[in-house]
Structures are given as structure tokens and as C-alpha cells.
Amino acid sequence: MKLKGIVALLTILVGITVGSTFLPDVEKATSGAGLQVEAEETLEALEENSDFVLQATVDGNYETRKIIEDKEHDVYQVRRLYTATIHKSIKGKEYAKGDQVEVVYPIGMKQLDEGHDDKLLPFSDEMIEMDTGEYLLFLDDLKGQLYFANISHVYKKQQDHRYSNIASEKVPSIVLENLDNVN
């Protein structure tokens, strides 16, 4: 039984990676955002491959949600929902200063085993903790929800006014003026 569940979970993860969908009649996790995506090599590529670029303050408090992926096998996507207060819209929809948006950070998959949560299968080797602060957010709009376009690129403002990537070594820092010149 346990092997059957593991095989089912792996099958679902592969399906998510290639954009498969299950259960159109229930709330579903949107596949693709931040998952199995190579880190971008340049700022230009990062900006080009994001629907939105926002300068915002993120509240480090988040809500954890489990969204059903496969009801038959009790498989769920686990995600964090952060609240971001907009300072400036750099790319995408023009938000007003002070507008608040929810930002989804996908964490991984879980399967219920006899009613109890099984081990989390994370989407990333390292879980990024976002504490309260100012961030430069590269986001994708998937079915009306804003997701991190690539979880290898999370930029927090530092005292020297640079935004440092706290998730990886790729595109290690950004100066806001350089991003404005990319557009």
C-alpha cells in the first residue's frame, strides 16, 4: 500500500512538472510556478520571464495552505501565502502605492496516509524564510494568483540599497536603477 502511494505521488509530481491537471471541479494548485525551473543567468532573462516585477514590503507572517492535487490519492500541494504591500510596479499590472497583494510561495507536496500527513516532498532543496522587509518580487500570474516566477530568485533589500538574492547565487544582487533600465 505504501509503495502504491509513493508511485502515485511520483506520477503526480511528474504530471505537475509537465503541466497536467486533475480534478477540474475543485480548487487546484497551479503547476509550473517556481517548480523545476532553472535559475536565470541574467537580470534581463529574469525580468523577461516574469509577468510582474514589484517593489514591495512583505509581511514575514504567512499562512500555510494545502491545496488538493489528486483527491483519489490524497495528494496536496503545500504553499505559503505572504501579504505584500506595493511600493512600485515595475512590470505588469500597475498597482497603486499601498495596494496589498497575496503572493504564493510553493513549498512542496504531501500525501495523506491513513488520515495522517506523510512526509513533505519539497520543490526546493532549501526552504527560503522570508522575514518582514522590502523585497523585489519577480512574479507570475497563474489563474489570478501571484506566484514567485522562480524560487531561485528572492531579492531582499539591504542597507546599501541593493537587493540581494537570498535564495541562490544566480544574479546575486540587483540595483533598482539597473532594473528600471532593462524595460
Side-chain angles (χ1 to χ4, degrees):
M1 180 66 179
K2 187 84 165 168
L3 180 59
K4 180 180 175 184
I6 291 170
V7 169
L9 182 58
L10 290 174
T11 301
I12 290 164
L13 288 173
V14 168
I16 290 168
T17 302
V18 296
S20 296
T21 58
F22 306 93
L23 300 174
D25 59 333
V26 296
E27 182 182 3
K28 303 196 43 45
T30 305
S31 60
L35 313 178
Q36 307 292 324
V37 178
E38 294 279 330
E40 299 293 354
E41 297 290 333
T42 66
L43 176 58
E44 292 78 12
L46 178 59
E47 192 272 341
E48 182 179 314
N49 293 319
S50 301
D51 295 335
F52 292 89
V53 180
L54 303 173
Q55 182 183 12
T57 296
V58 174
D59 181 349
N61 297 316
Y62 58 85
E63 179 183 339
T64 301
R65 287 197 187 152
K66 288 193 282 189
I67 307 299
I68 194 164
E69 278 290 346
D70 180 358
K71 190 173 185 175
E72 180 181 348
H73 296 101
D74 287 327
V75 177
Y76 298 84
Q77 184 188 109
V78 180
R79 55 175 66 161
R80 290 182 183 162
L81 269 65
Y82 289 93
T83 300
T85 303
I86 307 299
H87 296 285
K88 181 179 180 181
S89 292
I90 297 169
K91 179 183 177 185
K93 178 181 174 182
E94 287 293 322
Y95 288 99
K97 186 174 183 174
D99 281 354
Q100 291 190 331
V101 295
E102 277 192 344
V103 179
V104 177
Y105 184 94
I107 296 172
M109 302 294 289
K110 273 194 171 191
Q111 182 175 24
L112 292 180
D113 185 23
E114 297 179 14
H116 300 288
D117 279 349
D118 204 1
K119 183 179 177 184
L120 177 72
L121 296 173
F123 291 132
S124 177
D125 292 337
E126 187 176 327
M127 187 83 60
I128 303 304
E129 294 293 332
M130 293 181 64
D131 55 354
T132 299
E134 189 174 320
Y135 289 83
L136 198 52
L137 303 172
F138 293 85
L139 306 171
D140 282 336
D141 181 352
L142 298 169
K143 296 182 181 179
Q145 291 188 307
L146 297 178
Y147 283 75
F148 280 87
N150 189 316
I151 58 177
S152 295
H153 295 280
V154 180
Y155 293 88
K156 185 171 184 192
K157 188 173 185 179
Q158 304 302 310
Q159 289 184 3
D160 65 0
H161 301 288
R162 289 182 171 271
Y163 290 84
S164 294
N165 189 347
I166 62 171
S168 77
E169 296 297 319
K170 299 291 183 174
V171 189
S173 67
I174 298 172
V175 176
L176 191 57
E177 293 76 24
N178 292 347
L179 184 63
D180 288 337
N181 293 330
V182 170
N183 293 323

